[in-house]
Amino acid sequence: MLLKKRFSASYIAYFFIVLTGIIMIIPVVFLFMDSFMSCDEVTNTYGILFNSSNVLKEYVVFKIIPDIVTLDQYYKAILRDTEYLTYFWNSVMYTVIIVAGSLTVSTLCGYGLGKFRFRGRKLLLYLYIIVMLLPYQVTLVPNFIVLQKMKLIGNPLSIILPSIFSTLGAFLMYQFIRKIPDDFLNQARIEGASEILVFKDIVLPQLKPAIASVAILSVIDCWSMVEQPLVLLQDTGFYPLSVGLANINQTDIGIAFAAGVIFIIPVVLICLLDEDYLVEGISYSVLK
Amino acid sequence: MKSNNSSKNAMTGLLFTVPSLAGFMIFFIIPFLISVFYSFNTGVENFNFAGFDNYKSLFASSSFRLALFNTFRFIASGVPLLIALSLLSALLFEYLHKKHMKHLSAYRTMYILPMVIPEAAIVIFLQILFNRYGVLNSIDNGTIDWFNTHNAFYIILMVFLWKNCGYCMIIFSAGLSYIDSSIYEAAEIDGANSWQKFIYITFVNIIPSIFFVAIMGIIGVFKMFRISYLLVGQYPYKDIYMLQNFMNNNFLELNYQRLSTSSVVVFAIMAVLVIIMLNISDRDYD
């Protein structure tokens, strides 16, 4: 009887985990597999999705395994389609600038909030947490109003600037910095180091894993931002890929899959290689 | 000497926060105050105090009420499901970890993957499944555009769960890892069975995490706007028209009062929830 009980409980758990694991990755696997179809094959199989003149009322068929395995889509997406490349480089540019700026601002702020005492500190922290947990739409409205007054609507800076000052980074840095023992800092201060030196030579090196985690979370956030470009940018030439990809799917379905794969490669690589930093970052936003 | 040190300490600390604070004031605090101001005003040029007129007309608007209702419905059905699923997954992972299941970390990676995948990338997958000429229709030879039926609600709900389950599972795993295992042993000695151990030890310690997951879930609900926009555009089917759609459409019409009023309302609701959560989880930010 004991054997039977152990058999069923573990195996049910195992089955559940495996099943949900597969469900989690099915869309990605599908995207990946179909990206190796030639453009014509894609249009033949899936073109009728958006073709309103589909009188024959054919249906699409799920094709996991391409008839011919080719890199045709990738060639066309990278070399032929300038629209796709524009979107891609927009995404890269926005992400790099935002993450660099955000890390600088957040590290400084986290240090100030974590290792010093001043009036209003606790209030500020609470405010940061509240704003951090608001949906985009709520902060987007005040953002929009101010950016309008600054005449920045339509300019990529309207996306970049507010995102640099996002409070998520500051809060995470604060959580990480709290863990650094005060003794290191005090020792350096007693030996006469200036505050800037203390920050640069003692705090920063200890923060490397924290910086990695916050950077990863910020990259993921930036790479998939949709609300801000939609509202703040009118010229589609400035759109990042997260918004532009849907346009490409509709207008040029031939490269849709490769386009999607190239789009998700950076973030998927981050997830696969730096999963621990990612998990740590998430945990630190929760724990004391 | 002591007071000199502490005020110097305060000054330095404040200086470090200045860049972040400056941006925070310019892009969030001051604009938000302006927003509140607009919400109590008749126009954007004049300074006529309009009392609660804007709020009254907002709640009288049928599209706002529809958006509010849909959003609440989604949150009320999606978030508890999310909490249940991710908690269950976290517990199962713990359990299988104790049983030394092989390659468990590979499965954890698979769970996290949806969280990093941008919404734009899975839109094509959803179209293939649910479009008028999609796979699901080919099974029964129907021609339903699934995104225009009530089923659109369930589709978005499934996408919501798919995307957020892994992330919330990590939060629960982190929360679970903080429970001291010696408590379980002490309970066993006192004669507690598995169910009692779960309720009185695991569950009680998980409550702060549950609140945090609830908040993240609500944020995730708002992010579902991305999926619905990328799939069906500005004016989705009535059952999935949510607050985000309402606010977005008002943006394009440059209707400042409405925007400001609705964002103040949403802010107030979220702020109350967050403050409750912070108090329940009994954080100590020193």
Side-chain angles (χ1 to χ4, degrees), chain A residues 105-129 166-178 182 199, chain B residues 9-10 12-18 20-21 24 285-286:
Chain A
V105 170
S106 309
T107 325
L108 290 168
C109 183
Y111 182 55
L113 284 176
K115 289 294 176 194
F116 295 88
R117 304 272 170 282
F118 51 87
R119 287 232 303 262
R121 193 186 62 105
K122 224 168 180 171
L123 171 68
L124 195 60
L125 201 50
Y126 262 56
L127 263 180
Y128 267 41
I129 295 177
S166 148
T167 56
L168 171 69
F171 177 69
L172 278 180
M173 277 301 174
Y174 163 79
Q175 291 277 71
F176 278 104
I177 287 178
R178 281 167 90 203
D182 284 335
F199 181 69
Chain B
N9 183 293
T12 328
L14 213 54
L15 277 176
F16 271 107
T17 62
V18 155
S20 173
L21 203 55
F24 186 59
Y285 293 115
D286 56 8

Side-chain angles (χ1 to χ4, degrees), chain A residues 146-214:
Chain A
V146 124
L147 289 165
Q148 252 241 339
K149 295 208 189 291
M150 291 166 109
K151 304 225 188 332
L152 279 180
I153 301 288
N155 188 324
L157 275 179
S158 64
I159 307 185
I160 294 178
L161 284 178
S163 302
I164 288 185
F165 296 102
S166 148
T167 56
L168 171 69
F171 177 69
L172 278 180
M173 277 301 174
Y174 163 79
Q175 291 277 71
F176 278 104
I177 287 178
R178 281 167 90 203
K179 307 273 179 189
I180 299 180
D182 284 335
D183 305 332
F184 289 132
L185 310 173
N186 290 331
Q187 183 73 18
R189 286 185 190 131
I190 292 176
E191 289 176 16
S194 74
E195 288 298 333
I196 299 183
L197 269 182
V198 171
F199 181 69
K200 203 164 64 84
D201 293 331
I202 303 198
V203 177
L204 277 187
Q206 296 226 349
L207 277 182
K208 286 210 182 99
I211 293 181
S213 299
V214 175

Side-chain angles (χ1 to χ4, degrees), chain B:
Chain B
M1 189 62 188
K2 208 171 183 183
S3 69
N4 254 348
N5 259 342
S6 73
S7 64
K8 183 181 162 210
N9 183 293
M11 210 47 224
T12 328
L14 213 54
L15 277 176
F16 271 107
T17 62
V18 155
S20 173
L21 203 55
F24 186 59
M25 296 293 286
I26 299 178
F27 291 107
F28 296 110
I29 295 293
I30 295 178
F32 181 72
L33 292 173
I34 297 180
S35 234
V36 174
F37 175 71
Y38 278 160
S39 74
F40 284 114
N41 230 33
T42 48
V44 293
E45 298 304 319
N46 339 323
F47 296 110
N48 297 328
F49 185 65
F52 283 97
D53 281 353
N54 281 326
Y55 289 89
K56 282 190 216 145
S57 91
L58 182 74
F59 280 95
S61 144
S62 60
S63 52
F64 181 74
R65 285 209 305 269
L66 176 70
L68 204 61
F69 170 74
N70 279 334
T71 312
F72 271 129
R73 177 170 65 167
F74 197 97
I75 291 179
S77 42
V79 174
L81 265 178
L82 179 69
I83 293 177
L85 272 175
S86 45
L87 182 57
L88 185 67
S89 307
L91 289 170
L92 281 178
F93 260 84
E94 276 276 307
Y95 175 74
L96 287 173
H97 185 69
K98 283 203 202 104
K99 298 279 180 193
H100 303 294
M101 173 175 149
K102 281 184 288 198
H103 307 305
L104 198 60
S105 58
Y107 289 102
R108 190 181 73 166
T109 314
M110 292 188 344
Y111 262 76
I112 300 181
L113 203 58
M115 168 198 157
V116 304
I117 302 288
E119 288 80 358
I122 58 171
V123 162
I124 185 83
F125 178 74
L126 293 171
Q127 285 282 12
I128 291 178
L129 275 179
F130 296 110
N131 186 291
R132 181 180 280 128
Y133 305 112
V135 172
L136 248 57
N137 271 323
S138 72
I139 295 180
D140 61 352
N141 274 333
T143 44
I144 319 168
D145 183 6
W146 287 64
F147 298 119
N148 259 327
T149 70
H150 180 64
N151 291 312
F153 176 76
Y154 296 113
I155 296 176
I156 309 262
L157 191 65
M158 284 195 294
V159 175
F160 167 75
L161 290 173
W162 175 84
K163 189 147 210 303
N164 289 291
C165 208
Y167 178 74
C168 295
M169 186 193 83
I170 293 184
I171 296 179
F172 277 128
S173 290
L176 282 172
S177 71
Y178 262 63
I179 306 178
D180 206 352
S181 56
S182 53
I183 300 186
Y184 288 110
E185 287 155 17
E188 248 170 67
I189 295 176
D190 281 348
N193 64 28
S194 302
W195 187 243
Q196 281 170 322
K197 274 195 291 184
F198 177 71
I199 300 246
Y200 291 109
I201 302 178
T202 317
F203 194 73
V204 168
N205 278 302
I206 286 288
I207 287 183
S209 302
I210 291 186
F211 272 89
F212 193 79
V213 168
I215 301 264
M216 297 319 281
I218 295 179
I219 298 177
V221 168
F222 278 89
K223 286 203 180 146
M224 283 299 110
F225 165 75
R226 301 177 179 182
I227 290 279
S228 88
Y229 182 86
L230 293 173
L231 276 172
V232 292
Q234 270 181 265
Y235 295 104
Y237 180 69
K238 66 174 170 69
D239 278 356
I240 54 175
Y241 179 83
M242 295 200 277
L243 272 175
Q244 313 84 282
N245 298 87
F246 177 82
M247 293 177 89
N248 207 58
N249 294 344
N250 274 308
F251 261 122
L252 300 163
E253 293 161 27
L254 287 183
N255 193 337
Y256 286 135
Q257 274 97 291
R258 196 126 281 193
L259 270 180
S260 306
T261 324
S262 49
S263 84
V264 169
V265 168
V266 178
F267 171 82
I269 300 176
M270 286 302 294
V272 165
L273 286 174
V274 170
I275 292 177
I276 294 179
M277 180 206 86
L278 287 178
N279 282 324
I280 295 246
S281 52
D282 205 26
R283 298 282 153 99
D284 185 26
Y285 293 115
D286 56 8

